[in-house]
């Protein structure tokens, strides 16, 4: 395997002649917005993970795909590193700028090029907001299924880069399952099509490889997404539990009963109380956990499934079960869930949102593990998450102004992710690795696996110019981090013995 | 891009010291079956595409994953090319042996390692038959959705290699959409995990990249597949049409109406007559085309959808519509479809099965195009296919004993695939590229795209030892084939003007 590439990526970024680059960009692309004054660069120094801030060398904001292509050719020739950014809502620092690189903002490429009801697809530019696709498809009774909580703001290009999920991905899949085709600009500035309008494409599945690659393989300039028929009806059940583990087990029981809910979400008591104080959603504030289970489809089917889910919940020890009586109450139940993060923000000066994924059956064990770690590190942890697909979002509450709390928050966060890996899970479900979790990648993957990632990266970007320092750690970094490799839980993980 | 690799793959295979290899394998792996006598090798000289036959240098049939790993280490050290083979039912010559290489038969790795009803997955060895997974999951009311016509015989390892489809992949997706995790042995003989038991995996999506890679990136030794709840009921409607184009348009109308059938299949008059003569399925022999539309789910839902599909079919000009009155008649309707290939085999000395995929909306135009080509080349073509996802299987009827017919059959086959590409489709839906369609890859992909494939290939297999000469053509081969590149129909394709 290519150890040389690892060393290359680990070295300093190539020096860039900033003045000459600005001059060439202004001459070659006079119509493209180019920001280079400090005060203009400031708004772009971070993405949704505001804990990391770096001022980019330059920001460019193209209006056309041709500009993106010409820009990439110039950067390739000059060996300038490029970080692509959509709406900047990402939570893992994937669009964190580089001091010595250009931030390529794709937000103005926001045209919906085609809504095709017969082919059931939409063809859009990368800066189109996730929700705008469903709005444009609504007249045809169609919608785009993946729905990250940020869907009102986040853009589809970023969704592709992070393989975004959402409440409905349990039933309808992640971004990668809802794509047909991508148009990309390579690091050399060539345009290329990945995937096809048809069911399958010949050759290797580069579209799937590209999805979730966090801007490391090329720049997305057009996305063809699948559209689904809107379900006729949706109903939501709320179940209360006096024990978190019981709620976790109920999740597995629902799935085992042969039901795939449209959404199956869990909140623990800290999250319930914070959300209820904020939204007044009608949550039971004395419950240790609640489950929200949405069922969607045609009416008869949904009614039947509601009864079956109710029976499962009763058997699993739910202390109360209520069905939202109408669409208004259903919206209220969901408003509590969707505003749980800001609600937690009201009860703590700072919080740190994790994003680990585990096999569903491990929910009770991992929830207990998190509770134990919370005691050990003396920090409160609220749990609000996509329980149905085992995608956890523990929120670690801390106060950055109290000495040592930030460090303890980071430490417990790392421990929680290692716990996820140890039970056979992954350090990210839908937020990506970015800069935030790059050290935890050393826990999840061994050297051979990391070298395979780099060999694939080198196939697209041999000079390592695209989003360097994100997503895949170099072996040197892992050696420095000193991670114990706990690949899929098959190697010993002493922490686990406690759980 | 890596032009050197293209040249390397285009050169002669490395010479192998056959005697020394046999000796080392017998000494190191005395318990592994090793075939080297001509009469023992003969049964392995082709796969389901019997038109191509090559005697392998050796055949090995391991019983354990450890043997596979040790075998790969020996081959890697000696630079011996390896072709992996499952059940050998593939239709594109993907498992066609090499004169100078070893055929690695994985059929004896056929243990079902785990059926997990709560996690809804099955963990199996690569030689397990597709249908055997659903049989083992049946006691839990679960099944494995992708159902290639060969599912009684084909093995899951081959399904992964070819990203196999089937009647139900319109609703439930291809193989890649139904996988969680792969265990592979790399060309160096290292074991590696791709994907995870959880919803998503960090890093690049190597599992999706591997799926459909036709044995060019590594050897699959364990597959974790998703299991789905069995639908409560399934019903099938049969609609007759007096015009093939109307039937093609009806397919789009059903999908546009917001219905996703479990299966949506089309047969034209030649296929109908052949199948009816063979199976007596009750097909209307005077119809120009029939559609079979299966709806599955809970009963109330299915009944509702049946009525909606019936209304769409009436509006689309169906001349007759019948609902299978019970499960026996439903099975009979499907038996005609599933035996259509052998049925066509009864009315022609030889036939050649194509596998092109097109956007659904292009069905009427492409069907007309095939009819015109049939007249031009003076060969009958029967159409039997997965209409719902635009995956066509034109069967070209010919007699290899009549001078020139085989050549005409190959020529019209190539034209049909080029037509699929020209309307935005792909040269393969579910059978793979293999040896059969390697020249047509030159039509679908340009040089940059082919070089990207090779760069990815080199990341896994820098010496080009895994299944060389299949799936991805070298640039030299394309130059010799002299294909006009008609990438996604965006470049001119004079043939299309006629349609």
């Amino acid at each position: 395997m290519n150890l040389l590439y690892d060393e290359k990526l680990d070295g300093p970024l190539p020096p860039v002649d900033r003045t000459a680059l600005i001059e060439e960009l202004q001459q070659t692309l006079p119509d493209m917005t180019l920001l280079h004054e400090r005060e203009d660069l400031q708004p772009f120094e971070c993405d949704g993970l505001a804990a990391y801030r770096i001022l980019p060398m330059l920001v460019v904001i193209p209006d056309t795909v041709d500009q993106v292509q010409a820009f990439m050719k110039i950067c390739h020739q000059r060996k300038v590193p490029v970080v692509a950014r959509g709406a900047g809502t990402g939570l893992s620092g994937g669009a964190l700028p580089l001091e010595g690189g250009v931030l390529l903002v794709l937000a103005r490429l926001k045209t919906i090029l085609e809504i095709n009801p017969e082919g059931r697809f939409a063809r859009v530019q990368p800066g189109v907001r996730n929700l705008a696709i469903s709005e444009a498809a609504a007249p045809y009774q169609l919608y785009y299924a993946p729905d990250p909580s940020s869907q009102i703001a986040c853009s589809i290009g970023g969704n592709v880069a992070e393989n975004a999920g959402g409440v409905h991905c349990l039933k309808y899949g992640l971004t990668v399952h809802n794509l047909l085709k991508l148009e990309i600009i390579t690091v050399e500035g060539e345009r290329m099509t990945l995937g096809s309008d048809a069911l399958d494409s010949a050759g290797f599945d580069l579209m799937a490889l590209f999805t979730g690659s966090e801007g490391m393989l090329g720049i997305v300039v057009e996305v063809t997404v699948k559209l689904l028929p809107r379900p006729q009806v949706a109903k939501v059940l709320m179940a209360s539990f006096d024990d978190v583990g019981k709620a976790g087990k109920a999740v597995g029981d629902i799935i085992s009963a042969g039901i795939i809910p449209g959404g199956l979400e869990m909140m623990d008591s800290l999250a319930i109380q914070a959300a209820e104080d904020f939204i007044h959603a009608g949550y039971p504030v004395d419950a240790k956990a609640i489950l929200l289970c949405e069922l969607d489809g045609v009416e008869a089917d949904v009614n039947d499934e509601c009864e079956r889910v109710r029976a499962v919940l009763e058997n699993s020890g739910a202390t109360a079960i209520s069905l939202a009586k109408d669409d208004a109450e259903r919206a209220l139940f969901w408003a509590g869930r969707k505003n749980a993060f800001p609600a937690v923000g009201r009860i703590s000066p700072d919080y740190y949102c994790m994003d680990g994924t585990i096999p569903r059956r491990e929910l009770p064990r991992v929830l207990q593990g998190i509770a134990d770690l919370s005691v050990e590190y003396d920090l409160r942890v609220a749990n609000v998450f996509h329980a149905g697909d085992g995608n956890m979002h523990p929120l670690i509450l801390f106060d950055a102004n109290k000495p040592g709390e930030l460090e303890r928050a980071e430490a417990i966060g790392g421990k929680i992710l290692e716990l996820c890996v140890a039970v056979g899970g992954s350090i990210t479900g839908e937020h990506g690795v970015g800069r935030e979790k790059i050290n935890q990648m050393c826990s999840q993957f061994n050297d051979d696996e990391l070298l395979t990632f780099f060999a694939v990266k080198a196939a697209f970007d041999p000079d390592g110019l695209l989003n360097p320092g994100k997503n895949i750690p170099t072996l040197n970094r892992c050696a420095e981090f000193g991670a114990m490799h706990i690949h899929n839980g098959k190697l010993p993980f002493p922490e686990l013995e406690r759980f």
Side-chain angles (χ1 to χ4, degrees), chain A residues 143-424:
Chain A
Y143 78 114
Y144 174 63
D147 57 344
S149 294
S150 57
Q151 69 178 143
I152 197 165
C154 65
S155 59
I156 190 72
N159 289 182
V160 170
E162 302 296 337
N163 193 18
V167 166
H168 285 94
C169 67
L170 169 62
K171 184 166 181 177
Y172 299 106
L174 298 164
T175 302
V176 69
H177 302 115
N178 289 277
L179 295 180
L180 280 173
K181 196 168 73 170
L182 298 174
E183 296 280 325
I184 66 160
I185 304 294
T186 67
V187 73
E188 292 96 353
E190 301 300 328
R191 191 167 171 144
M192 194 178 281
T193 306
L194 311 181
S196 80
D197 288 332
L199 164 78
D200 192 14
S201 190
F204 301 135
D205 191 351
L206 301 185
M207 186 188 76
L209 179 67
F210 203 91
T211 307
S213 65
E214 305 196 7
M216 291 183 81
L217 303 182
I219 309 296
V220 182
V221 292
E222 193 180 302
V223 185
T224 304
V225 301
K226 296 178 192 170
L227 299 176
L228 295 182
R230 275 185 187 280
Q232 279 178 18
V233 291
K235 299 200 172 183
V236 62
L237 285 162
M238 176 167 64
S240 312
F241 291 85
D242 58 10
D243 177 85
V244 171
K246 280 186 200 164
K249 189 175 169 303
V251 170
D253 292 344
I254 290 169
I255 304 291
S256 296
I259 296 156
I260 306 183
L264 182 52
E265 302 279 311
M266 182 164 163
M267 295 167 72
D268 70 5
S269 59
L270 192 51
I272 295 166
Q273 287 162 23
E276 185 59 21
D277 280 353
F278 185 28
I279 301 293
H280 311 296
Y283 290 171
V285 290
D286 51 347
K288 292 285 190 233
I290 59 169
L291 287 182
L292 292 171
C293 180
E294 180 159 300
L295 301 157
D296 61 6
V298 294
E299 184 147 16
D301 191 359
V302 169
N303 289 339
D304 175 67
E305 284 189 340
C306 273
E307 287 317 300
R308 289 164 65 208
V309 169
R310 187 188 285 275
V312 171
L313 289 167
E314 280 166 1
N315 282 333
S316 305
T319 53
I321 302 169
S322 59
L323 176 71
K325 63 179 184 293
D326 52 25
D327 275 352
E329 191 172 64
R330 185 173 74 88
L332 195 60
F333 280 4
W334 279 121
R337 162 65 186 90
K338 290 193 176 174
N339 289 288
F341 288 14
V344 166
R346 294 170 74 236
I347 62 166
S348 174
D350 299 284
Y351 71 90
Y352 183 33
C353 170
M354 310 304 297
D355 171 45
T357 304
I358 58 169
R360 233 171 357 240
R361 65 183 178 279
E362 298 288 354
L363 274 174
R365 193 154 68 127
V366 171
L367 287 167
Q368 185 56 50
I370 292 174
D372 290 351
L373 286 167
S374 167
V375 171
E376 182 180 336
Y377 284 83
D378 192 21
L379 288 174
R380 292 183 297 168
V381 180
N383 285 292
V384 188
F385 60 101
H386 310 314
D389 37 43
N391 186 187
M392 308 192 71
H393 291 316
L395 301 175
I396 300 162
L397 280 57
F398 68 100
D399 182 348
N401 288 326
K402 289 196 186 153
E405 285 219 348
L406 172 61
E407 292 70 22
R408 288 218 308 286
E410 286 180 339
I412 186 178
K415 279 285 174 198
I416 289 173
L417 293 182
E418 287 175 20
L419 176 56
C420 292
V421 177
V423 299

Side-chain angles (χ1 to χ4, degrees), chain A residues 10-80:
Chain A
D10 213 55
L13 289 171
V16 172
D17 183 339
R18 185 173 186 266
T19 313
L21 175 63
I22 293 175
E23 208 166 280
E24 181 173 2
L25 288 172
Q26 284 174 336
Q27 277 180 5
T28 314
L29 295 162
D31 298 330
M32 182 176 69
T33 303
L34 170 68
L35 308 177
H36 52 85
E37 301 289 348
R38 194 182 167 82
E39 63 268 29
D40 295 333
L41 300 176
Q42 207 95 44
F44 297 96
E45 67 178 358
C46 67
D47 61 9
L49 182 73
Y52 298 87
R53 290 169 192 270
I54 294 176
L55 212 61
M57 183 177 71
L58 293 178
V59 171
V60 300
I61 315 180
D63 294 289
T64 69
V65 174
D66 286 346
Q67 287 175 346
V68 176
Q69 193 164 7
F71 165 76
M72 288 305 296
K73 282 186 177 165
I74 291 169
C75 289
H76 182 244
Q77 204 188 1
R78 290 178 171 271
K79 305 286 177 233
V80 179

Side-chain angles (χ1 to χ4, degrees), chain A residues 459-474:
Chain A
F460 286 82
D461 178 20
D463 296 314
L465 298 177
L466 295 169
N467 213 9
K470 313 279 176 65
N471 195 4
I472 317 281
T474 59

Side-chain angles (χ1 to χ4, degrees), chain A residues 88-108:
Chain A
T89 55
L91 291 172
S92 61
L96 182 72
L98 291 166
E99 270 174 58
V102 183
L103 192 72
L104 169 62
V105 176
L106 296 160
R108 284 194 200 149

